[in-house]
Amino acid sequence: MAGSAWRSMLTQVVGGAVRRPALSSASFSRGMQTVTLIPGDGIGPEISTAVMKIFEAAKAPIRWEERNVTAIKGPGGRWMIPPDAKESMDRSKIGLKGPLKTPIAAGHPSMNLLLRKTFDLYANVRPCVSIEGYKTPYTDVNLVTIRENTEGEYSGIEHVIVDGVVQSIKLITENASRRIAEYAFEYARNNQRNSVTAVHKANIMRMSDGLFLRKCREVAENYKDIKFTEMYLDTVCLNMVQDPTQFDVLVMPNLYGDILSDLCAGLIGGLGVTPSGNIGANGVAIFESVHGTAPDIAGMDLANPTALLLSAVMMLRHMGLHDYGNKIQTACFDTIRDKKVLTKDLGGNSKCSEFTADICRRVQDLD
Amino acid sequence: MAAHSAVLSASKIINPFWGGRLGNTVKVFGTTLTSHRNKTLLTGENIPPPAKYGGRHTVTLIPGDGIGPELLNHVREVFRFSCVPVDFEVVHVNSALETEDDINNAITAIRRNGVALKGNIETKHTMAPSVKSRNNLLRTSLDLYANVMHCQSLPGVQTRHKNIDIMIIRENTEGEYSSLEHESVSGVVESLKIITRNNSLRIADYAFRLAREKGRRRVTAVHKANIMKLGDGLFLQCCREVASGYPDITFDSMIVDNTTMQLVSKPQQFDVMVMPNLYGNVVSNVCAGLVGGPGLVPGANYGRDYAVFETATRNTGKSIADRNIANPTAMLLAGCMMLDHLKLYDHASSIRNAVLTTMNENRLQTADIGGQGTTSEVVQSVMRIIQSKGQLTADL
C-alpha cells in the first residue's frame, strides 16, 4: 500500500468525510473507509484489480479488504460463508463483489443466495442509464429498478403433489413488501427522482400482489412529494420497449424484478455495463457486477471492468462520496465515448489493462 | 368393469368436463369417448365442426370493456360489408358484478358455437379477491390451453428493430394463473404456481406441431428452471421429450431474464418460443412492443374443442375508449384469424390484405403508431380497398 506520507495527505483531503452519520467509527481510520472486496471467480480478480487501480488513481479514501467466499459447511451441517468474510463485512458494512460461479450439483446453494440470506439483502437496486458512447437502439434511458430480493416466487418452496403435478409457492409478506416500498421511496427522495411505479399482476394474483400493492399505497401516503403510480407487469413491458423514458423508479416483487431488471439492462447494453447494488438490513450493502464469470476469457486481460466499476461508483454514492463517484463515472463514460481503447465486448479490441489505464489517466486529469 | 373405470378416471383427468357427465352410461360412452379421443389425437383434427346452419356460421361475440365494444363494432361493419357468412351472437359480460352468471352465459354460448371473438373484460382489483378474473375463468373453463401470437415486423410501421418474425406459444391455463391463493397467517400470502406434466406435454406438442406445419426451424423453451427447479424443470423436461419426436426441428432453451435481454437487443434470433403462462405474458408483451405496439398484433386461444380470438396483448384501453383513436388493426386481424379457423380463407385473405395495405401503403395510421388517422378513417379505407378488389360487397 502507499506510504504514510500519502496517507496523511489523504486524511487532510477527506477530513470533511467525518460529517457522514451513517458509518460507524469502527470502519473509519485515518479518513479511510474499509470496504470488503470479494474478487470472485473467472474474470473477477482482473476486473477487481482494475477497479482498485482506478480508485487509487482517483485517490478515493477506500481501504480494500479482500476476502474469499467459497461455501463451507458450518456446524449443524448448514452451508455458510467463511467466518472471516462475514466478520469483515459486519465490520465494514460495505462490500464490492465480482462474479461468483454457481457450480451445478455441488450440493450447496448458489453463493449469491447464501450472501443474500446471511446479510438479509432485501433490496436489489439497478440504475439503468444509457451510456453515451455505447450505442443501443434505445437512447435516453434513465430509470431505476428496485426489486424485492428475499421472497416472492424465489422462496424455493416446491412440492410434487402427485406424480406429474408440481406446485411452486410464491410467498408475499406484509413486512417484506412494506420494507421494500419504504426503501424505494427513500431512494427516490435521496436521489431526486420524481416518481415511483409499483409493478404488479394484481388482476390475476389478487391476494399476493394485492397485498404488495396495498403496502406500496400505504407507504406512498408518507411520501407525498413523490408521485406514485401502479402499472400491470405486461403494460410495463409493452411500454418499456416502446418508450423507456416514461419510467423513473420501479418497485416490484422478486420475479418481476428479475425479468424487468434484466430487460432494462438489455436496453442500455447488457450485463457487461450494468451496475447493481444489494441493500440489506442493518446498513449492510453489497455492490456487485451481475455478469457471469466468463471463464473463456479469464486471465487473458480481455475483460471489461465497466460493470464492476459502475457498481463501485454506486457504492461511493451510497457512502456519500459523491465527488469521487462522479469523477470516476465521468472518466469512465469519457473513455467509452472516445471509442479509442474499448474492450472487445464494447466493440473495440484493446486490453483490459489499456482500458483501465485510460480511465486512470482521465481521472488524474480531472483533478 | 376395471377397463371402464380406468377409462372413466383417465377421461376425468384429461377432459374434466366430460368426466363428470359419464356416470351410469359409462358402458356406452366410455368406449365412444376413448375412440373419439384417440381419433382426435392421431389425426390432429382437434376442433369439432363449428355451428354452421344454412351456410352461415354463428360466432359468439363478447364486447368486453374499454375499446372492445367499438373495435368489435368495426369488425362487424367490415364483415357485413364484405358479405362474410358469419352471424354474431352478442353476449355482454358486466365486470362490475360479483356474480359469475354473466361469464357463465358467455361460456355456454361459446360451447354452443365453438368459436368466439372477444374484447378484454376488465378486472377491478378493488373488489374482493374471490372475484376472479373473468378472462381467466373463460380460458380455464373452456380449457383453451394454447395462446398463439405471431409477431411480425410490418413494413409501414417505424420500429427500432426490423425483420422480427416470432411465433409465441404460451400455456394458457395453469402456471401462475391458477388463482389458488390463501393467507396462511395474517400478513403472509401464498400463491400457488401449478405445473403439470400433462399440460406441459400438451403445449409442447402443440408448439412443435405448429412449428412443423408452418415450416419453422427452431423452437425455444423459455423457463426459469435454475430457480424453480421442480416446476419449470418439469416443463423443460416435457419440452425435451416432445422435441425428441421432431428431429427436423432444433430445440433449445433459454432462461427468461436472458430472453428479455436478447429480445431487446437481437430479436431476430428467435423463431418459435414456447413457455408457461407468466413468462408468456411478459415475452408476448415485449414482442408486441417491439413490432409496434398493442394495436397491431392479433392473438388466438385454442383448446381442443373451442377457439377464442382477441388482441394479443389483451388490453382494455380504458384511457382511449370511445375517442375514435384506437387502432383497429389487431381486432380486424383477429377477425381474419377467426375466418381462417372457420375455413373462410378467401374472406380472411381479402380483409387481411386490405388491413395491411392500409397500414403499409396508404400510411393511414392511428396515433399509437405515430400517425394522425382516426379509427373510422382506417376502417373506411379497409372497406374501400375490399370494394376495389371487385368482390361482392354490401353498400358502403
Side-chain angles (χ1 to χ4, degrees):
Chain A
M1 269 297 269
S4 54
W6 179 71
R7 245 187 235 153
S8 53
M9 178 195 72
L10 214 58
T11 324
Q12 285 164 19
V13 170
V14 299
V18 194
R19 59 180 136 76
R20 234 169 7 265
L23 296 149
S24 68
S25 51
S27 62
F28 205 63
S29 58
R30 310 258 216 113
M32 301 278 277
Q33 285 175 39
T34 316
V35 168
T36 307
L37 176 68
I38 302 164
D41 310 306
I43 53 171
E46 25 187 323
I47 55 177
S48 306
T49 321
V51 171
M52 285 199 283
K53 265 204 211 114
I54 295 171
F55 269 53
E56 212 179 296
K59 306 198 189 71
I62 305 287
R63 190 166 63 83
W64 304 101
E65 245 180 48
E66 272 190 54
R67 290 285 180 269
N68 195 2
V69 286
T70 31
I72 59 168
K73 238 192 171 138
R78 285 178 63 214
W79 291 100
M80 51 183 238
I81 63 171
D84 61 338
K86 181 160 194 315
E87 182 265 337
S88 170
M89 267 303 302
D90 284 336
R91 216 176 350 101
S92 60
K93 301 278 190 212
I94 310 281
L96 185 66
K97 176 174 91 62
L100 292 174
K101 70 168 179 263
T102 301
I104 307 170
H108 64 75
S110 87
M111 287 316 305
N112 294 312
L113 188 62
L114 216 47
L115 278 169
R116 215 173 293 147
K117 286 232 152 75
T118 313
F119 298 107
D120 195 18
L121 301 171
Y122 65 90
N124 178 282
V125 183
R126 239 188 244 187
C128 292
V129 183
S130 280
I131 298 179
E132 222 181 292
Y134 190 36
K135 279 221 84 37
T136 58
Y138 299 90
T139 51
D140 302 328
V141 179
N142 188 357
L143 51 90
V144 181
T145 57
I146 297 179
R147 155 192 176 191
E148 207 290 323
N149 220 0
T150 56
E151 56 174 26
E153 297 82 348
Y154 293 4
S155 46
I157 312 170
E158 295 187 286
H159 317 103
V160 179
I161 314 280
V162 286
D163 189 29
V165 178
V166 175
Q167 152 189 309
S168 301
I169 297 189
K170 162 179 165 165
L171 204 65
I172 300 276
T173 57
E174 207 175 304
N175 286 338
S177 306
R178 192 179 348 102
R179 196 164 58 162
I180 192 71
E182 271 168 6
Y183 181 77
F185 279 95
E186 272 302 323
Y187 182 92
R189 197 175 259 175
N190 293 342
N191 290 276
Q192 289 86 41
R193 314 289 307 203
N194 301 324
S195 71
V196 172
T197 306
V199 181
H200 64 96
K201 262 218 91 62
N203 51 346
I204 302 288
M205 286 178 258
R206 307 293 298 276
M207 286 175 81
S208 35
D209 283 354
L211 175 61
F212 179 81
L213 210 51
R214 264 201 318 277
K215 288 295 139 202
C216 288
R217 283 188 196 133
E218 278 172 28
V219 172
E221 293 296 312
N222 299 335
Y223 292 82
K224 293 281 197 208
D225 51 328
I226 297 174
K227 181 162 162 255
F228 173 68
T229 46
E230 4 180 297
M231 220 187 234
Y232 288 137
L233 172 66
D234 40 12
T235 316
V236 172
C237 289
L238 192 58
N239 293 342
M240 182 75 78
V241 294
Q242 294 182 278
D243 181 23
T245 57
Q246 56 184 289
F247 296 105
D248 195 356
V249 177
L250 300 164
V251 64
M252 56 210 121
N254 216 334
L255 177 69
Y256 314 150
D258 193 8
I259 301 176
L260 268 183
S261 56
D262 278 1
L263 180 67
C264 298
L267 296 177
I268 61 167
L271 295 179
V273 293
T274 310
S276 169
N278 298 293
I279 314 294
N282 310 319
V284 172
I286 298 185
F287 298 86
E288 60 177 354
S289 57
V290 286
H291 53 73
T293 50
D296 46 338
I297 57 167
M300 299 183 347
D301 198 19
L302 294 171
N304 179 359
T306 307
L308 193 63
L309 186 63
L310 290 177
S311 304
V313 166
M314 228 179 126
M315 178 189 80
L316 287 170
R317 294 210 172 102
H318 178 90
M319 292 156 79
L321 299 165
H322 294 276
D323 294 335
Y324 293 98
N326 290 339
K327 200 162 59 172
I328 297 175
Q329 188 179 294
T330 315
C332 180
F333 282 177
D334 282 346
T335 307
I336 298 178
R337 194 185 312 125
D338 222 15
K339 292 196 209 239
K340 290 216 188 76
V341 267
L342 295 180
T343 50
K344 191 136 171 286
D345 62 313
L346 291 173
N349 47 20
S350 302
K351 292 199 167 297
C352 173
S353 41
E354 292 168 8
F355 183 73
T356 313
D358 199 63
I359 301 181
C360 290
R361 187 181 53 80
R362 284 179 199 270
V363 164
Q364 280 159 342
D365 287 345
L366 280 170
D367 263 330
Chain B
M1 209 49 201
H4 288 302
S5 46
V7 164
L8 184 58
S9 49
S11 60
K12 263 209 187 98
I13 295 169
I14 292 176
N15 199 348
F17 171 63
W18 283 106
R21 290 273 205 91
L22 285 177
N24 294 329
T25 51
V26 68
K27 244 187 153 71
V28 174
F29 279 105
T31 40
T32 324
L33 193 64
T34 328
S35 52
H36 170 72
R37 213 183 327 118
N38 285 341
K39 179 181 128 196
T40 55
L41 285 174
L42 286 173
T43 60
E45 279 171 53
N46 284 337
I47 323 285
K52 190 173 178 181
Y53 308 102
R56 295 183 69 79
H57 298 259
T58 311
V59 167
T60 309
L61 187 86
I62 303 170
D65 301 307
I67 51 174
E70 67 181 272
L71 292 184
L72 287 170
N73 274 340
H74 287 304
V75 172
R76 275 157 64 170
E77 211 182 307
V78 173
F79 278 22
R80 183 199 60 87
F81 178 77
S82 322
C83 300
V84 173
V86 168
D87 292 318
F88 288 105
E89 181 189 346
V90 181
V91 184
H92 290 279
V93 176
N94 190 344
S95 53
L97 297 177
E98 289 208 8
T99 64
E100 293 186 358
D101 292 338
D102 270 357
I103 194 68
N104 285 336
N105 287 342
I107 293 172
T108 315
I110 301 176
R111 286 214 171 103
R112 190 170 45 240
N113 297 323
V115 180
L117 188 59
K118 76 182 263 288
N120 199 40
I121 305 165
E122 191 194 346
T123 308
K124 292 185 167 55
H125 48 95
T126 45
M127 298 173 96
S130 52
V131 180
K132 301 202 195 295
S133 156
R134 300 289 181 241
N135 304 300
N136 201 21
L137 219 48
L138 203 142
R139 291 192 290 266
T140 46
S141 312
L142 297 170
D143 201 24
L144 302 169
Y145 63 89
N147 177 282
V148 179
M149 177 175 151
H150 187 184
C151 284
Q152 265 178 309
S153 292
L154 296 174
V157 183
Q158 277 285 53
T159 52
R160 290 182 176 91
H161 307 270
K162 313 262 179 268
N163 299 326
I164 301 175
D165 192 351
I166 307 176
M167 290 206 80
I168 297 170
I169 295 144
R170 160 190 177 186
E171 209 291 326
N172 218 4
T173 51
E174 56 172 23
E176 297 82 350
Y177 288 39
S178 316
S179 303
L180 296 165
E181 296 179 298
H182 52 268
E183 193 162 357
S184 37
V185 178
S186 167
V188 176
V189 175
E190 283 184 0
S191 172
L192 303 181
K193 162 180 165 165
I194 311 284
I195 302 273
T196 58
R197 197 175 153 71
N198 278 344
N199 288 346
S200 305
L201 284 173
R202 196 165 61 162
I203 193 69
D205 192 54
Y206 188 91
F208 277 92
R209 265 188 295 122
L210 191 67
R212 184 174 268 174
E213 203 185 307
K214 304 276 180 191
R216 305 292 214 152
R217 300 260 51 93
R218 207 173 120 224
V219 173
T220 308
V222 178
H223 65 96
K224 190 93 190 148
N226 52 344
I227 304 286
M228 286 184 250
K229 299 186 167 69
L230 290 182
D232 286 350
L234 176 62
F235 180 80
L236 203 54
Q237 195 191 331
C238 294
C239 288
R240 287 207 181 102
E241 274 176 38
V242 174
S244 57
Y246 292 81
D248 52 325
I249 299 176
T250 326
F251 171 73
D252 56 7
S253 63
M254 203 185 260
I255 301 185
V256 62
D257 38 10
N258 190 19
T259 309
T260 49
M261 225 183 318
Q262 298 292 325
L263 275 171
V264 292
S265 40
K266 263 192 301 138
Q268 296 82 5
Q269 61 181 290
F270 294 104
D271 194 358
V272 178
M273 298 166 82
V274 64
M275 59 206 92
N277 217 331
L278 184 69
Y279 312 144
N281 186 231
V282 172
V283 170
S284 54
N285 275 276
V286 171
C287 290
L290 291 174
V291 297
L296 296 178
V297 193
N301 304 287
Y302 294 108
R304 200 192 70 151
D305 303 315
Y306 312 107
V308 174
F309 299 88
E310 54 178 349
T311 63
T313 47
R314 303 172 179 164
N315 303 92
T316 331
K318 281 201 308 269
S319 53
I320 53 171
D322 297 322
R323 284 163 58 186
N324 204 13
I325 53 173
N327 194 340
T329 308
M331 202 57 96
L332 284 168
L333 290 178
C336 295
M337 281 179 86
M338 185 193 75
L339 292 175
D340 275 329
H341 180 81
L342 295 173
K343 303 199 196 328
L344 296 169
Y345 301 116
D346 293 335
H347 285 286
S349 332
S350 97
I351 298 175
R352 188 176 289 129
N353 285 339
V355 173
L356 294 176
T357 310
T358 306
M359 168 79 47
N360 300 333
E361 288 175 39
N362 293 8
R363 303 297 165 117
L364 196 70
Q365 298 178 345
T366 44
D368 59 317
I369 40 179
Q372 283 147 344
T374 61
T375 318
S376 20
E377 281 172 21
V378 175
V379 172
Q380 293 289 324
S381 164
V382 168
M383 297 202 286
R384 257 198 309 268
I385 296 175
I386 296 173
Q387 187 172 52
S388 69
K389 299 285 179 191
Q391 286 153 308
L392 171 70
T393 53
D395 301 319
L396 195 69

